[in-house]
Amino acid sequence: MSKSEDLRAVAPALENYAQKYVLGGLWKRPGLSARDRGIVTVAALIARDQRVELPFYLGLALDNGVKPAEISEIITHLAFYTGWANAMDAIPAARDVFKSRNIGADQLPSTSGSQLPLDEAAEAQRAARVDQQFGQITPSLVLYTTDALFRDLWLRPGLAPRDRSLVTVSALVATGQVAQITYHLNRAMDNGLTREEAGEVLGHLAFYAGWPNAYSAAPIVKEVIEKRPR
């Protein structure tokens, strides 16, 4: 049976909503490109460890312009922001999608090589602030936040900073991690995410992470947007 037939056999109203609001409406809204919607959806599914729908949306993301190297980087990035096991759980689905499309190692990012430029002054301020807050309590967390995340992962060129921020914000909203949204949404907007796009991310994630997660994040997104200069 096809997915539509499965839905009709169990929850015909759900199929109607899927056609009417999701694939027939949400994905066609102009405030966020189809490519970005693919990134947001894949990030949300991996963050929530929802593997059944992942192959379909990985394929849709690729169809809408997300590159195989970017898919690889999204999975790697989310190992740090949603847990190693969630990233590992996404590997079989991505492997099968890549295999079905003849995507080989030559299309995937290198494990090493040149990095994006680092804003040394801003990073020094961030590191000092975090060390002052938490250095005496959890020095390992402070160390790896600096060395593994901000001086390594965030500088990998396989995913543009704006897209890496989009992945991070999407994962935070999808998992209800609202305490981290302010920092990362500001970083996303510094990296080029627009006010309209930020709002559309919430509307999109309401369908893929649930209305409670979207509405829990909405006041924080609103505050960030309103405090930023127009």
Side-chain angles (χ1 to χ4, degrees):
M1 295 177 70
S2 68
K3 182 182 293 186
S4 293
E5 289 172 331
D6 287 341
L7 280 171
R8 283 195 294 272
V10 176
L14 179 58
E15 186 200 13
N16 181 61
Y17 284 127
Q19 296 301 325
K20 181 179 180 181
Y21 289 112
V22 182
L23 297 177
L26 179 71
W27 279 80
K28 297 178 180 179
R29 285 180 58 84
L32 197 64
S33 71
R35 175 187 177 275
D36 286 347
R37 291 185 189 277
I39 290 174
V40 170
T41 307
V42 166
L45 294 177
I46 295 174
R48 293 165 62 82
D49 199 19
Q50 294 176 329
R51 287 168 271 175
V52 172
E53 291 283 271
L54 187 56
F56 172 79
Y57 283 104
L58 284 170
L60 189 59
L62 289 166
D63 291 341
N64 284 319
V66 182
K67 298 175 182 177
E70 292 170 331
I71 295 289
S72 177
E73 284 294 318
I74 288 169
I75 294 171
T76 301
H77 188 85
L78 289 174
F80 291 87
Y81 281 91
T82 68
W84 226 253
N86 281 4
M88 295 299 292
D89 283 347
I91 294 296
R95 177 200 61 210
D96 291 347
V97 170
F98 284 2
K99 184 177 180 180
S100 71
R101 294 176 178 239
N102 296 315
I103 295 169
D106 60 316
Q107 297 182 60
L108 303 183
S110 171
T111 58
S112 60
S114 60
Q115 292 185 318
L116 297 174
L118 175 67
D119 185 334
E120 292 284 358
E123 170 55 20
Q125 289 180 350
R126 184 211 60 77
R129 183 173 64 252
V130 171
D131 183 61
Q132 184 177 31
Q133 288 178 304
F134 305 118
Q136 297 300 313
I137 303 299
T138 175
S140 60
L141 177 60
V142 172
L143 172 68
Y144 290 126
T145 299
T146 295
D147 291 353
L149 267 66
F150 290 106
R151 288 188 173 271
D152 193 338
L153 181 71
W154 277 88
L155 301 181
R156 288 182 55 79
L159 197 61
R162 182 255 189 203
D163 294 341
R164 200 173 285 279
S165 286
L166 181 61
V167 169
T168 308
V169 170
S170 299
L172 293 174
V173 175
T175 53
Q177 300 292 331
V178 295
Q180 293 290 308
I181 291 174
T182 297
Y183 173 80
H184 281 289
L185 181 56
N186 271 302
R187 188 181 181 99
M189 297 181 79
D190 289 343
N191 286 331
L193 191 73
T194 69
R195 297 162 60 95
E196 183 181 19
E197 289 169 340
E200 280 294 318
V201 168
L202 281 186
H204 191 91
L205 286 172
F207 286 92
Y208 289 97
W211 253 251
N213 281 328
Y215 264 100
S216 293
I220 299 165
V221 172
K222 179 176 182 286
E223 182 179 25
V224 169
I225 289 174
E226 289 180 345
K227 285 185 176 181
R228 291 182 66 86
R230 290 184 177 271

